[in-house]
Amino acid sequence: MKYLALTALFLSLAAEPSFAHDIVSKKDKSKKAAFDITKASATTDGRLATFMMEVAGTAGSEKPKATGQLNGAKVESYVWPTSLDPATVGFDPKSGILALAITAHPDFDDTPLYDENQDGDPANDGKDWHSHWVVLTKDSKCGAGLKVRDVSPGVDMLPATAPMLPIALDSPGMSPILTGRTAKITVPVKGSEGISFDAVTAELQVNTSADTPLLCVTGVHDVASGDLSMPGIVMAEKE
């Protein structure tokens, strides 16, 4: 119920910026250190935007265990929900919350255009940390009340680099950097200065049954703001 309430607040947010720039969060020993957010920030040079998340432990040190099958496959993620319209990167306008994510999932690969581990096979990289744009929408069938929006490829708008799965997911191929306590990703996106954002660490799960969304947010490790109010503001890089 806690996260369902947060979801309701999340999806009703106005896109008005707050006076905060970075988001600072206290350490919480009850949370996994690799997902316990202590700070989040974002900057842009007008063409590229860089999103950063700092955690209490080592970023990227915990990944899901392989299940050997797609149904029930787990996904761990570092996510920046934003107030950008999904159309900014090629999804249907006003179709949900556009979020940038760094994810890892050993049971499937959803970046068919890229060979992240450079072994000559672009279809075996899911276990390595990689980037996505996703559109999140509310769904009570998911444990945390959110899902990656269901779509019909060829009917709904999708970016050119989308893997053409039946969800609003893009695989832009931007390499994330996870080192020490920091998770960081730089992506090409115009018009991001002044937009609001938050930072979330969460677990997702794949469901292949017809009566359940394909990709659900099943649990939230931490929310930088505490209430998904998106107090962060993307700032212009200082020259």
Side-chain angles (χ1 to χ4, degrees), residues 199-221:
V200 178
T201 49
E203 183 178 81
L204 297 87
Q205 181 174 307
V206 176
N207 306 285
T208 58
S209 61
D211 60 346
T212 308
L214 179 61
L215 189 54
C216 274
V217 181
T218 53
V220 176
H221 298 298

Side-chain angles (χ1 to χ4, degrees), residues 1 6 11 13 20 26 45 63 69 71 77 94 106 134 168 172 180 183 202 208-209 213 215 237:
M1 294 302 294
L6 286 176
L11 295 171
L13 292 173
K26 292 182 179 180
D45 64 2
K63 298 180 180 180
Q69 60 182 16
N71 188 44
S77 65
K94 299 179 180 179
V134 297
T208 58
S209 61
L215 189 54
E237 291 182 2

Side-chain angles (χ1 to χ4, degrees), residues 84 89 93 104 136 161 173 177 204 223 239:
L84 284 167
V89 298
L136 300 172
T161 49
I177 298 173
L204 297 87
V223 180
E239 297 182 0

Side-chain angles (χ1 to χ4, degrees), residues 44-49 84-85 87-89 98 133 187-193 195 234:
T44 181
D45 64 2
R47 185 177 69 91
L48 301 173
L84 284 167
D85 190 293
T88 305
V89 298
L98 181 65
W133 284 109
V187 292
V189 56
K190 293 183 178 180
S192 63
E193 182 179 351
I195 67 107
V234 178

